[in-house]
Amino acid sequence: MSRYSALSIFRNGLSGQKNWQRAWRAAEPKPAYDVVIVGGGGHGLATAFYLAENHGIRNVAVLEKGYVGGGNVGRNTTVIRSNYLLDGNTQFYEFSVKLWEGLSQALNFNVMFSQRGQIVTAHSADQLDTFSHRANIMRLNGIDADILDRDAVRRLVPYLDFSETARFPIYGAILQGRAGTARHDAVAWGYARAADGHGVDIIQNCEVTGFVRDGDRIVGVETSKGRIGAGKVGLAVAGHTSVLGQKAGLELPIESHVLQAFVTEPLKPLVDHVVAYGADHFYVSQSDKGGLVFGGNLDGYNSYAQRGNLGVVREVAEAAIALMPCISRVRLLRHWGGVMDMTPDASPIICPTPIDGLYLNGGWCYGGFKATPASGWCFAHTLATGKPHPLIAAYGLGRFRTGHTLDEAGAGPSAWLQ
Amino acid sequence: MLRIECPCCGPRDHDEFRYGGDASVARPAHDDPDPEAWYRYVYVRNNPAGSHREFWQHVTGCRQWLVVERDTTNHTILSVGFARKRPGKCPYE
């Protein structure tokens, strides 16, 4: 793999841009690998990269049933942050942000990580108190956090509704300055290219249809391209974890729900930060092309359809205009749905499973994108050593039996209520 | 949008309903001492890609709890019935 650099751009310019290497090889499956990762999304590709980079395990295949970047890694709203409250979440997501900060260099691929800061508005004195609690927890964990009063919020984001008639007046906000966004496709492509550079086979259009067993142990997968042997199998198939888990005999606390995302027509620069609405479920950032990118609640019933319903379009539009009346006449360019693994406590499941040889990375609810580097890092550690990485110790399947759930959303065991 | 054929009120937009989750989950007996049974009741779900039996309540209509059988891959509704075997008198009859 040749490295991208200013010199390579110059050299390829001289030869009419005709001699660029493809970003990763179009690999065909070998009979067997040390590790087979099912799912060529962000988490699967990151896992493969860190298996090679951190653990020297290079005889690895990533199997993707569609194409790289066609699943949730290409369907999210690209927000990256670590403003979590609970032990176990706080440290994990901050580790992820730290990996994001060096990711373009680590991958030799510009993932366009932009630390524009995230502002979550507070709409009552009580809410600002809970945000202060959160900010204190974050600071105790070495994470940047600031509490802003109404005037400070107004100076930063004057286009929000500060009028007398605002439905939920803004009292203040919590700001994480190091939060931001990244180019989601570049994350998939960057990890794919870097993993390929270490010899990982990325096999697209290869759907896993079953598992190969030797006694109780899983020793490979059946795929649309034939049987592939594996020393260990890692599942990273957000949205379809239940479908594949059932084939392996795993019973999981997961429901699949659709979450929609939205993009408006391009505007001149307006939204400098990621802004989240504390009075409803709505958040917005502006892409480099100028479109406002935003999202809201789940559709809220089990679905594998990758398309959403119009009721949620209306609800999200209502929240958008309540927070930002100035965009009431902006046209919506497109919206789409992604299938989320929803867990009962809104935290992921990433751990060895009770089935020998099978490892699970799933249940990211709608927060998987920001976790991509740390998830790959910790899952690679788990696959390489057979034991959970300390940063994901809280994300085991056993927590639902022992009562050690991480219910950040406070929504209880009904996944659709999150 | 889903269009749910309420057996009481007729076809209605799903915005009139509240989702109640997997209807195939059976609650253990009240005095069941087995924590595993309660764990499975609260947390474990089949989550099929395909036919799914689920509860919906017609909150802005007759307020009956229904069991809807729906294909989760394309939202085709296969059947709708009352969640109780012998529903009370329909308020709109």
Side-chain angles (χ1 to χ4, degrees), chain A residues 242 246 251-256 300-304 307 309-311 314 344 400-401 416, chain B residues 1 14-15 19-21 36 39-40 43 45-49 52 56 70 72-75:
Chain A
S242 297
Q246 274 163 16
E251 289 185 320
L252 295 169
I254 287 176
E255 285 185 7
S256 298
Y301 44 85
N302 293 43
S303 172
Y304 287 91
R307 62 188 164 87
N309 73 56
L310 284 168
R314 184 188 62 217
F400 299 102
R401 278 196 173 81
W416 67 87
Chain B
M1 303 297 265
H14 85 270
D15 275 9
Y19 186 60
E36 185 65 17
Y39 159 72
R40 295 176 59 81
Y43 292 117
R45 294 293 177 268
N46 259 330
N47 194 26
H52 188 235
W56 290 80
R70 181 178 59 91
T72 57
T73 61
N74 56 21
H75 302 326

mmCIF file of all heavy atoms in Angstrom, chain A residues 242 246 251-256 300-304 307 309-311 314 344 400-401 416, chain B residues 1 14-15 19-21 36 39-40 43 45-49 52 56 70 72-75:
data_model
loop_
_atom_site.group_PDB
_atom_site.id
_atom_site.type_symbol
_atom_site.label_atom_id
_atom_site.label_comp_id
_atom_site.label_asym_id
_atom_site.label_seq_id
_atom_site.Cartn_x
_atom_site.Cartn_y
_atom_site.Cartn_z
ATOM 1 N N SER A 242 -29.286 -9.933 16.266
ATOM 2 C CA SER A 242 -30.219 -10.997 16.661
ATOM 3 C C SER A 242 -30.298 -12.079 15.606
ATOM 4 O O SER A 242 -30.334 -13.263 15.920
ATOM 5 C CB SER A 242 -31.621 -10.430 16.878
ATOM 6 O OG SER A 242 -31.625 -9.518 17.926
ATOM 7 N N GLN A 246 -29.102 -15.725 16.579
ATOM 8 C CA GLN A 246 -29.993 -16.884 16.607
ATOM 9 C C GLN A 246 -29.384 -18.069 15.874
ATOM 10 O O GLN A 246 -29.512 -19.215 16.297
ATOM 11 C CB GLN A 246 -31.341 -16.531 15.971
ATOM 12 C CG GLN A 246 -32.315 -15.899 16.958
ATOM 13 C CD GLN A 246 -33.457 -15.198 16.271
ATOM 14 O OE1 GLN A 246 -33.721 -15.405 15.088
ATOM 15 N NE2 GLN A 246 -34.132 -14.345 17.008
ATOM 16 N N GLU A 251 -29.093 -16.229 22.748
ATOM 17 C CA GLU A 251 -30.313 -15.491 23.098
ATOM 18 C C GLU A 251 -29.881 -14.129 23.618
ATOM 19 O O GLU A 251 -29.075 -14.040 24.541
ATOM 20 C CB GLU A 251 -31.087 -16.230 24.175
ATOM 21 C CG GLU A 251 -31.738 -17.497 23.674
ATOM 22 C CD GLU A 251 -32.585 -18.125 24.758
ATOM 23 O OE1 GLU A 251 -32.132 -18.108 25.915
ATOM 24 O OE2 GLU A 251 -33.679 -18.606 24.432
ATOM 25 N N LEU A 252 -30.419 -13.077 23.013
ATOM 26 C CA LEU A 252 -29.878 -11.748 23.309
ATOM 27 C C LEU A 252 -30.961 -10.780 23.768
ATOM 28 O O LEU A 252 -32.097 -10.846 23.306
ATOM 29 C CB LEU A 252 -29.208 -11.181 22.055
ATOM 30 C CG LEU A 252 -27.980 -11.953 21.577
ATOM 31 C CD1 LEU A 252 -27.558 -11.484 20.201
ATOM 32 C CD2 LEU A 252 -26.838 -11.790 22.560
ATOM 33 N N PRO A 253 -30.586 -9.850 24.646
ATOM 34 C CA PRO A 253 -31.513 -8.795 25.041
ATOM 35 C C PRO A 253 -31.460 -7.631 24.057
ATOM 36 O O PRO A 253 -31.027 -6.530 24.393
ATOM 37 C CB PRO A 253 -31.000 -8.398 26.435
ATOM 38 C CG PRO A 253 -29.548 -8.701 26.394
ATOM 39 C CD PRO A 253 -29.336 -9.806 25.399
ATOM 40 N N ILE A 254 -31.872 -7.889 22.835
ATOM 41 C CA ILE A 254 -31.763 -6.863 21.786
ATOM 42 C C ILE A 254 -33.049 -6.831 20.970
ATOM 43 O O ILE A 254 -33.612 -7.872 20.661
ATOM 44 C CB ILE A 254 -30.559 -7.170 20.856
ATOM 45 C CG1 ILE A 254 -29.246 -6.885 21.578
ATOM 46 C CG2 ILE A 254 -30.645 -6.367 19.556
ATOM 47 C CD1 ILE A 254 -28.022 -7.250 20.782
ATOM 48 N N GLU A 255 -33.497 -5.605 20.655
ATOM 49 C CA GLU A 255 -34.551 -5.430 19.656
ATOM 50 C C GLU A 255 -34.021 -4.527 18.551
ATOM 51 O O GLU A 255 -33.269 -3.596 18.825
ATOM 52 C CB GLU A 255 -35.785 -4.753 20.274
ATOM 53 C CG GLU A 255 -36.604 -5.653 21.155
ATOM 54 C CD GLU A 255 -37.877 -4.958 21.638
ATOM 55 O OE1 GLU A 255 -38.173 -3.838 21.178
ATOM 56 O OE2 GLU A 255 -38.568 -5.548 22.486
ATOM 57 N N SER A 256 -34.428 -4.794 17.313
ATOM 58 C CA SER A 256 -33.995 -3.951 16.195
ATOM 59 C C SER A 256 -35.049 -2.894 15.900
ATOM 60 O O SER A 256 -36.223 -3.222 15.728
ATOM 61 C CB SER A 256 -33.768 -4.812 14.953
ATOM 62 O OG SER A 256 -32.747 -5.741 15.209
ATOM 63 N N GLY A 300 -39.657 3.366 16.761
ATOM 64 C CA GLY A 300 -40.223 2.861 18.005
ATOM 65 C C GLY A 300 -40.979 1.547 17.925
ATOM 66 O O GLY A 300 -41.724 1.217 18.836
ATOM 67 N N TYR A 301 -40.851 0.803 16.843
ATOM 68 C CA TYR A 301 -41.385 -0.566 16.821
ATOM 69 C C TYR A 301 -40.384 -1.414 16.049
ATOM 70 O O TYR A 301 -39.668 -0.907 15.189
ATOM 71 C CB TYR A 301 -42.781 -0.634 16.186
ATOM 72 C CG TYR A 301 -42.939 0.165 14.912
ATOM 73 C CD1 TYR A 301 -42.576 -0.392 13.681
ATOM 74 C CD2 TYR A 301 -43.402 1.472 14.930
ATOM 75 C CE1 TYR A 301 -42.708 0.336 12.505
ATOM 76 C CE2 TYR A 301 -43.529 2.212 13.766
ATOM 77 C CZ TYR A 301 -43.182 1.629 12.561
ATOM 78 O OH TYR A 301 -43.279 2.356 11.395
ATOM 79 N N ASN A 302 -40.336 -2.695 16.363
ATOM 80 C CA ASN A 302 -39.322 -3.567 15.760
ATOM 81 C C ASN A 302 -39.333 -3.451 14.241
ATOM 82 O O ASN A 302 -40.405 -3.495 13.625
ATOM 83 C CB ASN A 302 -39.594 -5.022 16.130
ATOM 84 C CG ASN A 302 -39.399 -5.283 17.604
ATOM 85 O OD1 ASN A 302 -39.830 -4.479 18.426
ATOM 86 N ND2 ASN A 302 -38.746 -6.364 17.928
ATOM 87 N N SER A 303 -38.150 -3.294 13.650
ATOM 88 C CA SER A 303 -38.101 -3.142 12.196
ATOM 89 C C SER A 303 -36.716 -3.475 11.667
ATOM 90 O O SER A 303 -35.702 -3.133 12.270
ATOM 91 C CB SER A 303 -38.453 -1.697 11.817
ATOM 92 O OG SER A 303 -38.234 -1.501 10.434
ATOM 93 N N TYR A 304 -36.692 -4.166 10.540
ATOM 94 C CA TYR A 304 -35.446 -4.400 9.804
ATOM 95 C C TYR A 304 -35.527 -3.714 8.436
ATOM 96 O O TYR A 304 -34.798 -4.061 7.519
ATOM 97 C CB TYR A 304 -35.223 -5.896 9.583
ATOM 98 C CG TYR A 304 -34.822 -6.659 10.832
ATOM 99 C CD1 TYR A 304 -35.767 -7.246 11.653
ATOM 100 C CD2 TYR A 304 -33.478 -6.795 11.166
ATOM 101 C CE1 TYR A 304 -35.394 -7.964 12.780
ATOM 102 C CE2 TYR A 304 -33.103 -7.501 12.289
ATOM 103 C CZ TYR A 304 -34.058 -8.076 13.092
ATOM 104 O OH TYR A 304 -33.678 -8.784 14.208
ATOM 105 N N ARG A 307 -36.089 1.769 6.443
ATOM 106 C CA ARG A 307 -36.818 2.966 6.011
ATOM 107 C C ARG A 307 -37.775 3.324 7.128
ATOM 108 O O ARG A 307 -38.225 2.459 7.878
ATOM 109 C CB ARG A 307 -37.559 2.742 4.694
ATOM 110 C CG ARG A 307 -38.613 1.678 4.752
ATOM 111 C CD ARG A 307 -39.146 1.395 3.361
ATOM 112 N NE ARG A 307 -39.884 0.142 3.301
ATOM 113 C CZ ARG A 307 -41.177 0.033 3.566
ATOM 114 N NH1 ARG A 307 -41.890 1.091 3.879
ATOM 115 N NH2 ARG A 307 -41.782 -1.136 3.494
ATOM 116 N N ASN A 309 -40.929 6.037 9.031
ATOM 117 C CA ASN A 309 -42.292 6.490 8.781
ATOM 118 C C ASN A 309 -42.391 8.015 8.892
ATOM 119 O O ASN A 309 -41.550 8.668 9.499
ATOM 120 C CB ASN A 309 -43.273 5.776 9.711
ATOM 121 C CG ASN A 309 -43.186 6.273 11.129
ATOM 122 O OD1 ASN A 309 -43.329 7.470 11.377
ATOM 123 N ND2 ASN A 309 -42.954 5.379 12.073
ATOM 124 N N LEU A 310 -43.470 8.537 8.297
ATOM 125 C CA LEU A 310 -43.608 9.990 8.200
ATOM 126 C C LEU A 310 -43.951 10.640 9.532
ATOM 127 O O LEU A 310 -43.678 11.823 9.723
ATOM 128 C CB LEU A 310 -44.686 10.332 7.156
ATOM 129 C CG LEU A 310 -44.215 10.170 5.710
ATOM 130 C CD1 LEU A 310 -45.408 10.240 4.762
ATOM 131 C CD2 LEU A 310 -43.212 11.257 5.360
ATOM 132 N N GLY A 311 -44.534 9.890 10.449
ATOM 133 C CA GLY A 311 -44.855 10.465 11.757
ATOM 134 C C GLY A 311 -43.611 11.013 12.436
ATOM 135 O O GLY A 311 -43.631 12.098 13.032
ATOM 136 N N ARG A 314 -42.388 14.289 10.936
ATOM 137 C CA ARG A 314 -43.131 15.431 11.466
ATOM 138 C C ARG A 314 -42.634 15.815 12.861
ATOM 139 O O ARG A 314 -42.396 16.987 13.146
ATOM 140 C CB ARG A 314 -44.631 15.091 11.504
ATOM 141 C CG ARG A 314 -45.512 16.245 11.960
ATOM 142 C CD ARG A 314 -46.945 15.784 12.167
ATOM 143 N NE ARG A 314 -46.998 14.776 13.201
ATOM 144 C CZ ARG A 314 -47.815 13.713 13.181
ATOM 145 N NH1 ARG A 314 -48.636 13.532 12.186
ATOM 146 N NH2 ARG A 314 -47.794 12.847 14.175
ATOM 147 N N PRO A 344 -31.822 -3.095 26.341
ATOM 148 C CA PRO A 344 -32.759 -2.556 27.345
ATOM 149 C C PRO A 344 -32.188 -1.407 28.171
ATOM 150 O O PRO A 344 -32.949 -0.643 28.760
ATOM 151 C CB PRO A 344 -33.050 -3.768 28.241
ATOM 152 C CG PRO A 344 -32.702 -4.946 27.414
ATOM 153 C CD PRO A 344 -31.572 -4.522 26.540
ATOM 154 N N PHE A 400 -27.191 -8.008 32.690
ATOM 155 C CA PHE A 400 -28.652 -8.004 32.802
ATOM 156 C C PHE A 400 -29.111 -9.012 33.860
ATOM 157 O O PHE A 400 -30.156 -8.846 34.475
ATOM 158 C CB PHE A 400 -29.280 -8.310 31.442
ATOM 159 C CG PHE A 400 -28.912 -7.287 30.405
ATOM 160 C CD1 PHE A 400 -27.936 -7.548 29.458
ATOM 161 C CD2 PHE A 400 -29.529 -6.048 30.400
ATOM 162 C CE1 PHE A 400 -27.585 -6.597 28.518
ATOM 163 C CE2 PHE A 400 -29.177 -5.091 29.461
ATOM 164 C CZ PHE A 400 -28.202 -5.361 28.518
ATOM 165 N N ARG A 401 -28.320 -10.071 34.043
ATOM 166 C CA ARG A 401 -28.670 -11.059 35.081
ATOM 167 C C ARG A 401 -28.319 -10.538 36.473
ATOM 168 O O ARG A 401 -29.018 -10.802 37.434
ATOM 169 C CB ARG A 401 -27.897 -12.354 34.836
ATOM 170 C CG ARG A 401 -28.524 -13.246 33.791
ATOM 171 C CD ARG A 401 -27.950 -14.648 33.878
ATOM 172 N NE ARG A 401 -28.663 -15.549 32.985
ATOM 173 C CZ ARG A 401 -28.429 -15.640 31.691
ATOM 174 N NH1 ARG A 401 -27.499 -14.900 31.120
ATOM 175 N NH2 ARG A 401 -29.119 -16.468 30.931
ATOM 176 N N TRP A 416 -37.809 0.275 23.018
ATOM 177 C CA TRP A 416 -38.428 1.274 22.147
ATOM 178 C C TRP A 416 -38.682 2.601 22.859
ATOM 179 O O TRP A 416 -39.006 3.589 22.233
ATOM 180 C CB TRP A 416 -39.735 0.720 21.569
ATOM 181 C CG TRP A 416 -40.791 0.506 22.595
ATOM 182 C CD1 TRP A 416 -41.695 1.429 23.035
ATOM 183 C CD2 TRP A 416 -41.063 -0.688 23.322
ATOM 184 N NE1 TRP A 416 -42.497 0.884 23.995
ATOM 185 C CE2 TRP A 416 -42.145 -0.405 24.184
ATOM 186 C CE3 TRP A 416 -40.520 -1.957 23.326
ATOM 187 C CZ2 TRP A 416 -42.669 -1.357 25.048
ATOM 188 C CZ3 TRP A 416 -41.054 -2.902 24.185
ATOM 189 C CH2 TRP A 416 -42.107 -2.610 25.035
ATOM 190 N N MET B 1 -45.759 4.629 6.878
ATOM 191 C CA MET B 1 -46.739 4.583 7.954
ATOM 192 C C MET B 1 -47.416 3.217 7.971
ATOM 193 O O MET B 1 -47.649 2.628 6.930
ATOM 194 C CB MET B 1 -47.818 5.644 7.719
ATOM 195 C CG MET B 1 -47.292 7.049 7.598
ATOM 196 S SD MET B 1 -46.511 7.631 9.077
ATOM 197 C CE MET B 1 -47.854 8.503 9.874
ATOM 198 N N HIS B 14 -51.092 4.410 12.386
ATOM 199 C CA HIS B 14 -50.472 3.868 13.595
ATOM 200 C C HIS B 14 -50.111 4.954 14.599
ATOM 201 O O HIS B 14 -49.830 4.652 15.748
ATOM 202 C CB HIS B 14 -49.251 3.015 13.253
ATOM 203 C CG HIS B 14 -47.981 3.777 13.092
ATOM 204 N ND1 HIS B 14 -47.570 4.290 11.895
ATOM 205 C CD2 HIS B 14 -47.031 4.125 13.990
ATOM 206 C CE1 HIS B 14 -46.418 4.907 12.064
ATOM 207 N NE2 HIS B 14 -46.063 4.831 13.319
ATOM 208 N N ASP B 15 -50.163 6.225 14.199
ATOM 209 C CA ASP B 15 -49.936 7.309 15.149
ATOM 210 C C ASP B 15 -50.974 7.298 16.278
ATOM 211 O O ASP B 15 -50.750 7.877 17.333
ATOM 212 C CB ASP B 15 -50.007 8.670 14.443
ATOM 213 C CG ASP B 15 -48.678 9.038 13.817
ATOM 214 O OD1 ASP B 15 -47.783 8.178 13.794
ATOM 215 O OD2 ASP B 15 -48.561 10.184 13.342
ATOM 216 N N TYR B 19 -47.026 1.531 20.924
ATOM 217 C CA TYR B 19 -46.389 0.226 20.798
ATOM 218 C C TYR B 19 -46.161 -0.378 22.166
ATOM 219 O O TYR B 19 -45.767 0.325 23.101
ATOM 220 C CB TYR B 19 -45.053 0.401 20.073
ATOM 221 C CG TYR B 19 -44.338 -0.887 19.742
ATOM 222 C CD1 TYR B 19 -44.931 -1.837 18.920
ATOM 223 C CD2 TYR B 19 -43.066 -1.134 20.237
ATOM 224 C CE1 TYR B 19 -44.274 -3.008 18.601
ATOM 225 C CE2 TYR B 19 -42.391 -2.306 19.914
ATOM 226 C CZ TYR B 19 -43.011 -3.241 19.103
ATOM 227 O OH TYR B 19 -42.344 -4.397 18.788
ATOM 228 N N GLY B 20 -46.393 -1.685 22.287
ATOM 229 C CA GLY B 20 -46.213 -2.337 23.589
ATOM 230 C C GLY B 20 -45.242 -3.493 23.576
ATOM 231 O O GLY B 20 -45.157 -4.233 24.547
ATOM 232 N N GLY B 21 -44.528 -3.676 22.463
ATOM 233 C CA GLY B 21 -43.476 -4.684 22.451
ATOM 234 C C GLY B 21 -43.953 -6.093 22.129
ATOM 235 O O GLY B 21 -45.117 -6.330 21.792
ATOM 236 N N GLU B 36 -33.902 -16.742 36.671
ATOM 237 C CA GLU B 36 -33.672 -16.937 35.236
ATOM 238 C C GLU B 36 -34.971 -16.681 34.440
ATOM 239 O O GLU B 36 -34.952 -16.058 33.379
ATOM 240 C CB GLU B 36 -33.145 -18.359 34.993
ATOM 241 C CG GLU B 36 -32.747 -18.655 33.561
ATOM 242 C CD GLU B 36 -31.565 -17.842 33.063
ATOM 243 O OE1 GLU B 36 -30.829 -17.271 33.909
ATOM 244 O OE2 GLU B 36 -31.387 -17.758 31.833
ATOM 245 N N TYR B 39 -35.454 -12.971 34.380
ATOM 246 C CA TYR B 39 -34.472 -12.366 33.463
ATOM 247 C C TYR B 39 -34.959 -12.501 32.021
ATOM 248 O O TYR B 39 -34.969 -11.532 31.259
ATOM 249 C CB TYR B 39 -33.109 -13.043 33.640
ATOM 250 C CG TYR B 39 -32.182 -12.872 32.473
ATOM 251 C CD1 TYR B 39 -31.581 -11.643 32.212
ATOM 252 C CD2 TYR B 39 -31.934 -13.932 31.598
ATOM 253 C CE1 TYR B 39 -30.748 -11.481 31.118
ATOM 254 C CE2 TYR B 39 -31.104 -13.773 30.501
ATOM 255 C CZ TYR B 39 -30.513 -12.543 30.266
ATOM 256 O OH TYR B 39 -29.702 -12.374 29.176
ATOM 257 N N ARG B 40 -35.407 -13.700 31.670
ATOM 258 C CA ARG B 40 -35.840 -13.929 30.285
ATOM 259 C C ARG B 40 -37.088 -13.101 29.967
ATOM 260 O O ARG B 40 -37.226 -12.552 28.877
ATOM 261 C CB ARG B 40 -36.112 -15.408 30.051
ATOM 262 C CG ARG B 40 -34.864 -16.282 30.172
ATOM 263 C CD ARG B 40 -35.219 -17.751 30.018
ATOM 264 N NE ARG B 40 -35.846 -17.979 28.727
ATOM 265 C CZ ARG B 40 -35.179 -18.110 27.594
ATOM 266 N NH1 ARG B 40 -33.870 -18.078 27.612
ATOM 267 N NH2 ARG B 40 -35.802 -18.278 26.462
ATOM 268 N N TYR B 43 -35.840 -9.275 29.743
ATOM 269 C CA TYR B 43 -34.789 -8.856 28.806
ATOM 270 C C TYR B 43 -34.722 -9.609 27.478
ATOM 271 O O TYR B 43 -34.468 -9.005 26.449
ATOM 272 C CB TYR B 43 -33.424 -8.978 29.504
ATOM 273 C CG TYR B 43 -33.219 -7.992 30.621
ATOM 274 C CD1 TYR B 43 -33.045 -8.415 31.926
ATOM 275 C CD2 TYR B 43 -33.217 -6.620 30.364
ATOM 276 C CE1 TYR B 43 -32.856 -7.510 32.959
ATOM 277 C CE2 TYR B 43 -33.038 -5.712 31.389
ATOM 278 C CZ TYR B 43 -32.859 -6.156 32.679
ATOM 279 O OH TYR B 43 -32.676 -5.253 33.688
ATOM 280 N N ARG B 45 -35.302 -11.264 24.037
ATOM 281 C CA ARG B 45 -36.274 -11.122 22.954
ATOM 282 C C ARG B 45 -35.828 -11.934 21.742
ATOM 283 O O ARG B 45 -34.637 -12.006 21.448
ATOM 284 C CB ARG B 45 -36.408 -9.647 22.545
ATOM 285 C CG ARG B 45 -37.005 -8.753 23.619
ATOM 286 C CD ARG B 45 -38.457 -9.103 23.896
ATOM 287 N NE ARG B 45 -39.034 -8.303 24.967
ATOM 288 C CZ ARG B 45 -39.048 -8.646 26.266
ATOM 289 N NH1 ARG B 45 -38.482 -9.779 26.648
ATOM 290 N NH2 ARG B 45 -39.622 -7.875 27.155
ATOM 291 N N ASN B 46 -36.819 -12.489 21.013
ATOM 292 C CA ASN B 46 -36.500 -13.217 19.779
ATOM 293 C C ASN B 46 -36.076 -12.276 18.670
ATOM 294 O O ASN B 46 -35.203 -12.581 17.889
ATOM 295 C CB ASN B 46 -37.725 -14.015 19.313
ATOM 296 C CG ASN B 46 -37.595 -15.471 19.689
ATOM 297 O OD1 ASN B 46 -36.483 -15.991 19.770
ATOM 298 N ND2 ASN B 46 -38.717 -16.125 19.921
ATOM 299 N N ASN B 47 -36.768 -11.132 18.570
ATOM 300 C CA ASN B 47 -36.420 -10.089 17.609
ATOM 301 C C ASN B 47 -36.292 -10.618 16.183
ATOM 302 O O ASN B 47 -35.263 -10.435 15.531
ATOM 303 C CB ASN B 47 -35.095 -9.440 18.061
ATOM 304 C CG ASN B 47 -34.824 -8.139 17.341
ATOM 305 O OD1 ASN B 47 -35.751 -7.461 16.890
ATOM 306 N ND2 ASN B 47 -33.550 -7.785 17.202
ATOM 307 N N PRO B 48 -37.334 -11.288 15.669
ATOM 308 C CA PRO B 48 -37.195 -11.918 14.349
ATOM 309 C C PRO B 48 -37.201 -10.909 13.204
ATOM 310 O O PRO B 48 -37.829 -9.850 13.304
ATOM 311 C CB PRO B 48 -38.434 -12.805 14.261
ATOM 312 C CG PRO B 48 -39.440 -12.114 15.122
ATOM 313 C CD PRO B 48 -38.667 -11.487 16.247
ATOM 314 N N ALA B 49 -36.449 -11.237 12.135
ATOM 315 C CA ALA B 49 -36.587 -10.516 10.867
ATOM 316 C C ALA B 49 -37.649 -11.283 10.093
ATOM 317 O O ALA B 49 -37.359 -12.291 9.464
ATOM 318 C CB ALA B 49 -35.257 -10.481 10.118
ATOM 319 N N HIS B 52 -43.723 -11.044 13.338
ATOM 320 C CA HIS B 52 -43.532 -10.664 14.739
ATOM 321 C C HIS B 52 -44.896 -10.372 15.349
ATOM 322 O O HIS B 52 -45.658 -9.561 14.819
ATOM 323 C CB HIS B 52 -42.648 -9.404 14.795
ATOM 324 C CG HIS B 52 -42.222 -9.004 16.166
ATOM 325 N ND1 HIS B 52 -42.456 -7.749 16.678
ATOM 326 C CD2 HIS B 52 -41.571 -9.685 17.131
ATOM 327 C CE1 HIS B 52 -41.948 -7.682 17.911
ATOM 328 N NE2 HIS B 52 -41.411 -8.841 18.205
ATOM 329 N N TRP B 56 -50.067 -3.542 20.529
ATOM 330 C CA TRP B 56 -50.303 -2.122 20.258
ATOM 331 C C TRP B 56 -51.562 -1.740 21.025
ATOM 332 O O TRP B 56 -52.531 -2.497 21.034
ATOM 333 C CB TRP B 56 -50.538 -1.872 18.757
ATOM 334 C CG TRP B 56 -49.345 -2.043 17.879
ATOM 335 C CD1 TRP B 56 -48.833 -3.219 17.416
ATOM 336 C CD2 TRP B 56 -48.512 -1.003 17.328
ATOM 337 N NE1 TRP B 56 -47.739 -2.978 16.614
ATOM 338 C CE2 TRP B 56 -47.520 -1.629 16.549
ATOM 339 C CE3 TRP B 56 -48.511 0.391 17.429
ATOM 340 C CZ2 TRP B 56 -46.534 -0.915 15.870
ATOM 341 C CZ3 TRP B 56 -47.543 1.106 16.742
ATOM 342 C CH2 TRP B 56 -46.559 0.444 15.973
ATOM 343 N N ARG B 70 -46.980 -8.701 12.374
ATOM 344 C CA ARG B 70 -46.447 -7.801 11.364
ATOM 345 C C ARG B 70 -45.105 -8.348 10.878
ATOM 346 O O ARG B 70 -44.334 -8.901 11.658
ATOM 347 C CB ARG B 70 -46.257 -6.411 11.978
ATOM 348 C CG ARG B 70 -45.730 -5.345 11.049
ATOM 349 C CD ARG B 70 -45.645 -4.026 11.800
ATOM 350 N NE ARG B 70 -44.781 -4.129 12.968
ATOM 351 C CZ ARG B 70 -43.464 -3.871 12.945
ATOM 352 N NH1 ARG B 70 -42.889 -3.461 11.855
ATOM 353 N NH2 ARG B 70 -42.743 -4.032 14.037
ATOM 354 N N THR B 72 -41.509 -7.664 10.068
ATOM 355 C CA THR B 72 -40.610 -6.560 10.423
ATOM 356 C C THR B 72 -39.684 -6.168 9.281
ATOM 357 O O THR B 72 -38.961 -5.188 9.394
ATOM 358 C CB THR B 72 -39.745 -6.928 11.646
ATOM 359 O OG1 THR B 72 -39.020 -8.117 11.341
ATOM 360 C CG2 THR B 72 -40.587 -7.137 12.878
ATOM 361 N N THR B 73 -39.668 -6.941 8.185
ATOM 362 C CA THR B 73 -38.792 -6.570 7.072
ATOM 363 C C THR B 73 -39.488 -5.640 6.085
ATOM 364 O O THR B 73 -38.822 -4.931 5.336
ATOM 365 C CB THR B 73 -38.286 -7.813 6.315
ATOM 366 O OG1 THR B 73 -39.409 -8.505 5.771
ATOM 367 C CG2 THR B 73 -37.515 -8.737 7.230
ATOM 368 N N ASN B 74 -40.838 -5.662 6.051
ATOM 369 C CA ASN B 74 -41.527 -4.807 5.069
ATOM 370 C C ASN B 74 -42.815 -4.186 5.612
ATOM 371 O O ASN B 74 -43.544 -3.524 4.873
ATOM 372 C CB ASN B 74 -41.834 -5.606 3.800
ATOM 373 C CG ASN B 74 -42.651 -6.847 4.095
ATOM 374 O OD1 ASN B 74 -43.320 -6.936 5.122
ATOM 375 N ND2 ASN B 74 -42.597 -7.817 3.192
ATOM 376 N N HIS B 75 -43.112 -4.387 6.903
ATOM 377 C CA HIS B 75 -44.266 -3.783 7.579
ATOM 378 C C HIS B 75 -45.622 -4.267 7.065
ATOM 379 O O HIS B 75 -46.641 -3.602 7.290
ATOM 380 C CB HIS B 75 -44.216 -2.252 7.517
ATOM 381 C CG HIS B 75 -42.979 -1.668 8.118
ATOM 382 N ND1 HIS B 75 -42.342 -2.225 9.200
ATOM 383 C CD2 HIS B 75 -42.249 -0.571 7.775
ATOM 384 C CE1 HIS B 75 -41.278 -1.487 9.504
ATOM 385 N NE2 HIS B 75 -41.185 -0.501 8.653
#
